[in-house]
Amino acid sequence: MKKITLLFLSICLFFQTWAQEPAWMDPISRASQWQESAFLTAFATEIIPKNQSQSDAQSKLYQMIKSQLSDAILVSINSKTELNVTVENTATDERLKQRSTSVSDVDLVGLKLDNYYDKRKNSLYVFGYVSIDELTQYNRNIISKNTTQINQNNERYASIQNKSDQIRLLIGNKQLLEGIQKSVRILNALSKPHGADINRLQITATENSRRLAELFTQGNVSMTDIVTRLHGELLLTLPTGDLSPISDSKFGYGSSEVSSAFSVVLYNELKNTLSSDNRLTFSPDGKGKLIGSFFQNATETIFTASITAPNNDIISATTFPVATQIIQTQGLALLPPNFNFIPRISRMTLSAPKTFTIKPSEFVNRPLLISCILDGSAMDNVPLDLALEKDGKSKNYSLITSDKGIATFNLDKSMVVPGQSYLVKINLNLEKYLSLSPKSSFLQDIKANQTIPETSTEVIINSPTVYIQSKEEGISSPLSIKVIEPAVKSGLAELHYAFVNDGTTADYELIIEAAARKGQTGEIATLAYVDATVSLVDKQSGKEVYKNSFFDIKGIGANHDDAQAKAFQKAKSQIADDITYNLEYKR
């Protein structure tokens, strides 16, 4: 009796389990009740692990059903779209991502979704279907309604005076035409007649595009006009549904990412206008981007804007040209600073003397002059790089031209050595001139297509010349062989001074006056002293650049002649060291 009871309960449980399954779980019932001639259907399943919620899996499968139905409409009405997913969820997520990004923006009117969870198999099943008749009627209504609206818009276009309003109307027409085109494609995929006059609609689309382009080649075009078109066309191609938050970017010139005063205001106006669309959220932490750029050719300025997803895929974009001469900039610079010179960089010239000879005494008041000229006009505020080269080594300096197009470079004694020659190379610092990164691809393109202006000059540093007048008096007579003068000359020679015999051609005059006198005489030693005055005079200015007096420089010897010689030896070292030290470190 117990066995019969258990068997009866098992049979009841079996039938109860299968009674809970919806009819669409059975392929035969599914094909019978939702015939492919009347319905588009999709079926999907997934095994749900313990660590995943049923609602998450359901959301994924619902999205996959919508993707499959949308694709089925555009691929083939006769395709039966069944998707059986029995792989790990990581793979399911990736497949969902791939499928979701390819979903056409099809309105699945009357979409019905149902699901069933089998506890024994830990599996979720989802079934979706759409009535072909309902979908057909919906898209025919779109074609009819949009066609009527386009005709009404075209009738009132001529009466609209404001250019921005005209732009909005034409972009609205473009949106209506794209709606018609999408509905025609859907009806063609469903093998249903659409009733649209395709030839007439093509003529209307061509005329609409012509009018829109004409608005940006005639009359005046304001910043508002440009923003209106960028805004309208970005929204025209923007996907429906929630989008990732967007962070700020720039409206730069070409790939330079450098903005102009005009493009900064333009970007802010565009951002503010787009913010009114509930699909877009601007946030500093947003992973999406609103990116703008513009560039010029001979007659046009081309504006481009795009909205990108976190993975940098472009989800909406627009680009169009505007006749440059009719853009009303509101007093703002249309191009970034100095970008108007980019096409003429190769015609810019730098000029400097072929040879520049200079003495150290002229360093302060006689700079090397470099001129910058473009098409006969002096170029101001142009940054230049100057390299001072000698024996494979280089010292680098930065210059900038004055309002007269002249850059000046003053040498000093820390840069050069008298008696030597140097090669000076000067070139335009293009990255600084255009505010670009040295690694910018935009900069590299310019350098590849333009000749960057440069020049060079040989700089010769003449040694300063010295004429010496020296009087060295012994105790009883002038010295026959001078002692102090040769020592001072040797010290000055180490400082790269040269010596001449003609005072009229000298840069400096060195005057040495030294005299010995007797000191005490003793049984063991005799003393002698030397007193001296030394001065170095700048012949050009008449100023003394060095002057010192030395007293009581003592010498000890067997007699006065010996003591005098010793005193002069001490004097030469003391005087030579003092004058060279002062000229090298204190002057």
Side-chain angles (χ1 to χ4, degrees):
M1 183 66 180
K2 185 182 292 185
K3 291 183 179 179
I4 295 173
T5 303
L6 289 174
L7 179 60
F8 176 75
L9 290 174
S10 298
I11 293 171
C12 290
L13 180 62
F14 174 81
F15 281 108
Q16 182 181 3
T17 301
W18 282 102
Q20 292 175 346
E21 290 186 350
W24 50 260
M25 284 287 291
D26 176 40
I28 297 175
S29 297
R30 192 162 63 240
S32 174
Q33 294 185 38
W34 293 275
Q35 296 181 11
E36 62 183 21
S37 61
F39 295 94
L40 296 177
T41 63
F43 180 83
T45 181
E46 180 176 351
I47 297 173
I48 303 177
K50 292 182 180 180
N51 61 352
Q52 183 180 351
S53 70
Q54 184 174 330
S55 61
D56 288 343
Q58 179 177 296
S59 297
K60 293 178 186 178
L61 292 179
Y62 277 3
Q63 182 60 39
M64 295 176 100
I65 289 292
K66 293 175 184 178
S67 300
Q68 292 287 6
L69 289 171
S70 296
D71 287 349
I73 291 171
L74 299 178
V75 175
S76 172
I77 187 61
N78 296 316
S79 65
K80 291 190 65 176
T81 311
E82 294 193 5
L83 179 61
N84 293 285
V85 181
T86 56
V87 293
E88 294 181 2
N89 285 350
T90 52
T92 304
D93 292 342
E94 181 60 27
R95 186 167 184 182
L96 171 63
K97 179 181 177 183
Q98 294 172 355
R99 298 287 292 153
S100 297
T101 55
S102 67
V103 174
S104 302
D105 189 15
V106 176
D107 295 324
L108 298 173
V109 180
L111 171 64
K112 302 295 190 301
L113 293 167
D114 196 6
N115 66 83
Y116 169 70
Y117 179 63
D118 189 329
K119 291 183 180 180
R120 292 176 304 163
K121 298 180 179 179
N122 291 326
S123 296
L124 180 66
Y125 302 86
V126 173
F127 176 61
Y129 62 93
V130 176
S131 166
I132 293 176
D133 287 343
E134 192 172 349
L135 198 60
T136 299
Q137 189 57 47
Y138 175 78
N139 282 282
R140 284 175 180 167
N141 289 340
I142 287 177
I143 294 171
S144 176
K145 183 180 68 173
N146 286 10
T147 301
T148 300
Q149 186 62 57
I150 290 170
N151 292 334
Q152 292 174 353
N153 288 348
N154 289 339
E155 287 176 3
R156 66 186 186 91
Y157 177 78
S159 63
I160 300 175
Q161 301 301 314
N162 183 275
K163 181 170 282 192
S164 290
D165 289 339
Q166 291 176 318
I167 295 168
R168 291 187 188 94
L169 183 144
L170 294 174
I171 291 176
N173 276 357
K174 190 173 181 180
Q175 185 174 19
L176 294 169
L177 285 163
E178 290 187 0
I180 293 172
Q181 182 183 30
K182 183 174 73 172
S183 290
V184 167
R185 290 176 62 205
I186 291 172
L187 292 170
N188 283 338
L190 297 173
S191 301
K192 300 292 183 180
H194 51 70
D197 186 344
I198 299 299
N199 189 49
R200 180 59 188 166
L201 288 172
Q202 288 176 341
I203 294 172
T204 299
T206 301
E207 177 65 12
N208 197 77
S209 297
R210 185 195 64 77
R211 283 177 169 175
L212 189 57
E214 192 176 74
L215 290 178
F216 291 88
T217 59
Q218 297 179 6
N220 293 322
V221 173
S222 67
M223 181 184 295
T224 301
D225 298 332
I226 297 171
V227 169
T228 299
R229 183 167 181 182
L230 290 171
H231 165 260
E233 293 187 345
L234 282 174
L235 295 186
L236 191 64
T237 56
L238 195 67
T240 57
D242 295 333
L243 300 174
S244 297
I246 297 169
S247 61
D248 284 351
S249 184
K250 290 183 177 181
F251 212 112
Y253 187 89
S255 62
S256 73
E257 299 185 358
V258 179
S259 301
S260 68
F262 182 87
S263 71
V264 168
V265 178
L266 177 69
Y267 184 87
N268 290 331
E269 291 291 329
L270 177 60
K271 175 186 169 184
N272 291 336
T273 308
L274 288 170
S275 297
S276 62
D277 191 283
N278 56 18
R279 289 171 292 178
L280 298 174
T281 302
F282 286 88
S283 168
D285 301 323
K287 302 301 182 182
K289 294 276 187 188
L290 169 62
I291 302 171
S293 68
F294 68 108
F295 67 94
Q296 288 185 341
N297 56 32
T299 60
E300 297 173 325
T301 302
I302 293 87
F303 292 89
T304 298
S306 63
I307 297 173
T308 63
N311 62 358
N312 293 323
D313 282 349
I314 295 175
I315 58 178
S316 181
T318 180
T319 183
F320 57 88
V322 184
T324 300
Q325 62 181 3
I326 66 173
I327 298 176
Q328 304 299 293
T329 63
Q330 303 173 350
L332 301 172
L334 180 58
L335 295 178
N338 302 317
F339 273 50
N340 54 309
F341 296 116
I342 291 176
R344 298 184 287 161
I345 289 291
S346 296
R347 302 209 299 269
M348 189 181 292
T349 60
L350 298 177
S351 300
K354 185 176 182 180
T355 303
F356 183 69
T357 303
I358 189 171
K359 300 176 182 179
S361 60
E362 300 174 315
F363 284 170
V364 173
N365 298 319
R366 188 166 167 249
L368 173 65
L369 303 180
I370 304 103
S371 65
C372 182
I373 304 295
L374 175 61
D375 297 336
S377 298
M379 298 293 294
D380 63 339
N381 294 313
V382 177
L384 305 177
D385 285 338
L386 182 146
L388 185 65
E389 297 182 353
K390 177 71 176 178
D391 298 332
K393 297 180 179 180
S394 177
K395 296 178 180 180
N396 300 304
Y397 305 91
S398 297
L399 310 175
I400 192 163
T401 59
S402 67
D403 56 356
K404 296 182 179 179
I406 302 294
T408 61
F409 179 65
N410 286 88
L411 293 160
D412 64 48
K413 65 179 183 179
S414 68
M415 300 177 184
V416 293
V417 175
Q420 302 289 325
S421 62
Y422 298 80
L423 178 63
V424 171
K425 295 180 179 179
I426 308 111
N427 64 270
L428 169 67
N429 186 324
L430 190 59
E431 51 262 40
K432 191 178 293 184
Y433 191 50
L434 300 177
S435 301
L436 296 170
S437 164
K439 298 180 180 180
S440 166
S441 60
F442 185 81
L443 176 67
Q444 302 310 317
D445 287 342
I446 296 174
K447 289 183 175 181
N449 293 287
Q450 299 268 13
T451 302
I452 308 304
E454 60 182 11
T455 190
S456 62
T457 185
E458 182 186 15
V459 174
I460 300 172
I461 313 299
N462 282 343
S463 295
T465 55
V466 180
Y467 173 69
I468 299 179
Q469 294 190 64
S470 175
K471 289 174 61 178
E472 299 184 31
E473 297 285 343
I475 294 174
S476 58
S477 63
L479 297 184
S480 58
I481 300 176
K482 294 179 179 179
V483 176
I484 297 175
E485 178 184 335
V488 172
K489 288 177 71 174
S490 177
L492 293 179
E494 291 182 3
L495 298 181
H496 306 286
Y497 285 81
F499 304 93
V500 294
N501 296 322
D502 184 357
T504 59
T505 62
D507 299 312
Y508 298 94
E509 184 175 3
L510 179 65
I511 302 171
I512 302 172
E513 294 181 351
R517 54 184 171 83
K518 291 180 179 181
Q520 293 179 344
T521 301
E523 294 181 358
I524 299 176
T526 299
L527 302 180
Y529 298 92
V530 170
D531 303 315
T533 299
V534 181
S535 68
L536 184 67
V537 179
D538 186 329
K539 293 288 293 297
Q540 185 175 3
S541 66
K543 294 180 179 180
E544 286 183 319
V545 296
Y546 171 84
K547 185 173 184 179
N548 204 357
S549 297
F550 304 85
F551 299 102
D552 301 328
I553 299 174
K554 182 171 64 175
I556 301 174
N559 50 49
H560 283 110
D561 287 341
D562 187 29
Q564 170 186 284
K566 300 285 180 61
F568 267 105
Q569 287 299 316
K570 284 186 177 180
K572 79 172 185 179
S573 297
Q574 188 173 336
I575 293 170
D577 288 348
D578 188 76
I579 189 172
T580 54
Y581 177 82
N582 277 273
L583 290 178
E584 185 170 9
Y585 297 109
K586 292 186 176 181
R587 182 179 170 185

